[in-house]
Amino acid sequence: MSHALSAKKFIAYKRDGHEHSPDELKVWLDEFLADRVPEYQMSAWLMAVFFRGMTPKELSAWTDLMTSSGATLPRSAGAFSVDKHSTGGVGDKPSLLLLPIVQTVAGRLWGQGKVKIPMMSGRGLGHSGGTLDKLDSIPGFRSRVNRDEALKLLRDNDYVMMGQTDDLVPADRRLYALRDVTGTVESLPLIVSSILSKKMAEGLDGLVLDVKFGPGAFMATREKARELASKLVEVATLRNVKTVAWLTRMDEPLGYAVGNALEVQECIEFLSGEARDKGLYDVTVTLAATMLEIASKGSLSFEAARGEIAKELEGDRPRQSFETMVLAQGGDLKKFAESKHVAEAEYRTIEIKAPKAGWLAKAEARTLGEAGLSLGAGRERFDAQIDNWAGFRLLKKVGDQVKSGEVLCRVFFRRNIQEGPLVERLSGAFEISDESVAVLPWCAERL
């Protein structure tokens, strides 16, 4: 495939709806990574996949090839390695809570070192926030660790929160950049192979997937989310990774805070027992309980795991575990608290108030997320800078009764933004009903 003509035939073969063999896919990816297939030809093939899809055999082979394109973490001898992946949303912060909760419950039930959580996370793009951006708002925190450092952190603390390194799944990093600029990000097989190649590189025994649906999610409908979740479970299970997916709604922000440092602050409050939004509690505990259920290999039911988590959250160990993880990766929570005080003094604050009395019927996630993006809380390009303390905190959630003039949302920013249009935009995200509103379950379906 070193000649342009053979690459052209390969692209045309998929364009016409045919199935590539695993050997052909291997040569294609190897040639691309060796820069013998130029990016414009790989882009053409990605577009062909976008329209023609992949057969189960192709998707299985492509996922394996992506995984093996670089180094991998070994499966932990004598321990069960489990991770969680979310398709992302507005205020999506359970990853920061899951690890200390699962680590402390597992340690109490089965002893330290029996459950490992190697979490490789990503950065946000657009209105959806990224776990690494939240962690990077903590002064000194090093999310970029190499393979040896990750293994040491796993050995010492039982979990690590890290970004994708240069030697882990390099194919995905290069291909995602092309997908982003060629309009092929939404391709189902390319999504599946991108997510699972990174997870398989972690050396997992188990995986819990949080596939979100709704206006603020990547998948707008529950049906589309179910399709993606089903395919992820199918492909991961074929790799001997025990996998469960939850479909969770993303029509309103998850939790009270939206914005990187603000979300970290909410997680600290959650672990300290100071403030726990019901939706955030439900999603976090559901995912954490599923991780523990999988890791127990049948000895702990989902409901029993929820009970153990509730018991653990009555004490202080999850917060201490979070602090240990931050410290082990160079973070300084004291300086984080100091930066909060600086932000409170330097940032402009505006309040969005209820236009009438009633019940909050809508807090539209995408509108709020895109407003946060304009404040500097997110990025439209991967190289854009983030303003850590920009964002907002919701004071009311859907279903809450409100009085006329009561504050619904408090906004923090320092960009030169006209307040009038910003208030109008944010106000449009909220809707007040004259009648009480039923609150839908956050965790809608298990696959």
Side-chain angles (χ1 to χ4, degrees):
M1 202 171 293
S2 58
H3 299 293
L5 181 62
S6 58
K8 179 181 175 181
K9 287 183 177 179
F10 185 85
I11 296 164
Y13 197 69
K14 174 51 64 179
R15 179 202 65 195
D16 295 338
H18 299 300
E19 179 186 68
H20 297 303
S21 71
D23 288 343
E24 289 170 339
L25 289 168
K26 184 179 187 312
V27 173
W28 177 247
L29 185 59
D30 286 347
E31 293 289 285
F32 171 69
L33 294 175
D35 295 321
R36 290 189 289 269
V37 168
E39 289 188 347
Y40 68 85
Q41 287 185 315
M42 178 57 82
S43 297
W45 182 77
L46 293 172
M47 187 61 74
V49 171
F50 180 87
F51 285 110
R52 290 295 191 173
M54 281 183 167
T55 67
K57 181 180 177 181
E58 282 180 309
L59 178 54
S60 180
W62 188 248
T63 302
D64 288 342
L65 290 168
M66 294 269 288
T67 302
S68 61
S69 66
T72 58
L73 299 180
R75 286 192 172 180
S76 299
F80 191 97
S81 292
V82 63
D83 191 10
K84 163 260 181 189
H85 175 81
S86 169
T87 55
V90 182
D92 185 30
K93 59 189 76 72
S95 288
L96 277 68
L97 300 169
L98 284 167
L99 272 72
I101 291 171
V102 172
Q103 189 262 346
T104 53
V105 173
R108 174 168 54 83
L109 294 179
W110 306 308
Q112 295 303 125
K114 295 300 183 181
V115 174
K116 304 286 187 181
I117 313 170
M119 182 173 284
M120 190 190 306
S121 300
R123 301 194 181 281
L125 186 63
H127 74 280
S128 181
T131 297
L132 295 185
D133 296 320
K134 304 182 205 308
L135 289 168
D136 286 349
S137 71
I138 303 173
F141 190 91
R142 294 189 309 109
S143 58
R144 189 173 179 82
V145 298
N146 61 37
R147 182 177 181 274
D148 290 341
E149 289 173 316
L151 292 173
K152 184 179 186 305
L153 288 163
L154 281 171
R155 184 173 63 251
D156 294 345
N157 302 326
D158 291 342
Y159 62 84
V160 59
M161 299 194 78
M162 60 184 290
Q164 188 175 352
T165 64
D166 291 337
D167 58 349
L168 290 172
V169 203
D172 178 69
R173 187 170 53 256
R174 290 189 59 182
L175 289 173
Y176 191 89
L178 289 182
R179 290 168 57 206
D180 185 44
V181 297
T182 57
T184 55
V185 168
E186 294 83 1
S187 167
L188 185 65
L190 298 179
I191 294 170
V192 170
S193 59
S194 176
I195 291 173
L196 291 184
S197 61
K198 293 192 286 289
K199 294 303 171 186
M200 297 305 101
E202 295 174 2
L204 295 181
D205 300 296
L207 176 63
V208 175
L209 299 160
D210 177 9
V211 182
K212 298 187 180 299
F213 66 92
F218 184 64
M219 294 295 179
T221 67
R222 184 166 171 174
E223 291 71 26
K224 286 290 187 182
R226 186 185 298 114
E227 182 183 8
L228 172 58
S230 298
K231 185 58 67 176
L232 286 165
V233 171
E234 175 189 338
V235 175
T237 301
L238 287 173
R239 267 133 206 85
N240 297 316
V241 177
K242 176 65 176 175
T243 306
V244 173
W246 282 94
L247 306 186
T248 67
R249 64 181 178 90
M250 182 42 64
D251 46 0
E252 62 173 310
L254 184 57
Y256 295 117
V258 177
N260 297 291
L262 292 170
E263 292 184 44
V264 172
Q265 181 62 39
E266 182 178 8
C267 289
I268 293 171
E269 294 168 358
F270 185 105
L271 294 172
S272 301
E274 298 173 27
R276 290 176 180 166
D277 170 64
K278 292 180 181 179
L280 179 59
Y281 182 92
D282 187 33
V283 173
T284 299
V285 172
T286 295
L287 297 173
T290 308
M291 292 172 73
L292 288 164
E293 175 195 3
I294 289 173
S296 78
K297 302 178 184 179
S299 66
L300 187 70
S301 70
F302 172 74
E303 288 302 329
R306 286 185 66 98
E308 294 293 346
I309 291 167
K311 186 188 305 181
E312 197 71 36
L313 285 172
E314 292 176 0
D316 202 36
R317 293 201 319 148
R319 181 190 60 79
Q320 292 173 356
S321 179
F322 178 79
E323 292 176 354
T324 297
M325 182 272 291
V326 170
L327 181 62
Q329 295 188 223
D332 189 328
L333 288 174
K334 183 179 180 181
K335 288 185 178 179
F336 176 80
E338 292 171 355
S339 69
K340 177 178 182 290
H341 297 315
V342 171
E344 289 173 344
E346 292 183 354
Y347 281 53
R348 295 159 65 189
T349 303
I350 58 174
E351 295 179 337
I352 308 301
K353 299 181 179 180
K356 65 176 185 177
W359 285 263
L360 185 60
K362 183 176 76 171
E364 213 278 316
R366 181 170 288 271
T367 300
L368 291 167
E370 290 175 348
L373 182 63
S374 70
L375 299 174
R379 59 168 68 83
E380 296 184 35
R381 305 186 320 273
F382 275 114
D383 59 348
Q385 292 296 310
I386 282 182
D387 187 343
N388 286 331
W389 283 99
F392 49 86
R393 189 173 179 95
L394 299 168
L395 278 71
K396 295 291 181 178
K397 301 300 296 290
V398 170
D400 289 349
Q401 190 169 10
V402 299
K403 301 175 183 178
S404 179
E406 195 169 8
V407 177
L408 303 175
C409 171
R410 189 166 289 122
V411 189
F412 306 92
F413 64 103
R414 59 181 174 184
R415 280 189 175 180
N416 186 20
I417 300 174
Q418 291 185 336
E419 291 191 8
L422 177 61
V423 170
E424 182 178 358
R425 183 180 186 183
L426 285 167
S427 297
F430 298 97
E431 183 179 299
I432 307 296
S433 171
D434 294 329
E435 299 178 353
S436 61
V437 175
V439 179
L440 297 173
W442 277 88
C443 299
E445 185 176 341
R446 172 173 169 152
L447 285 81

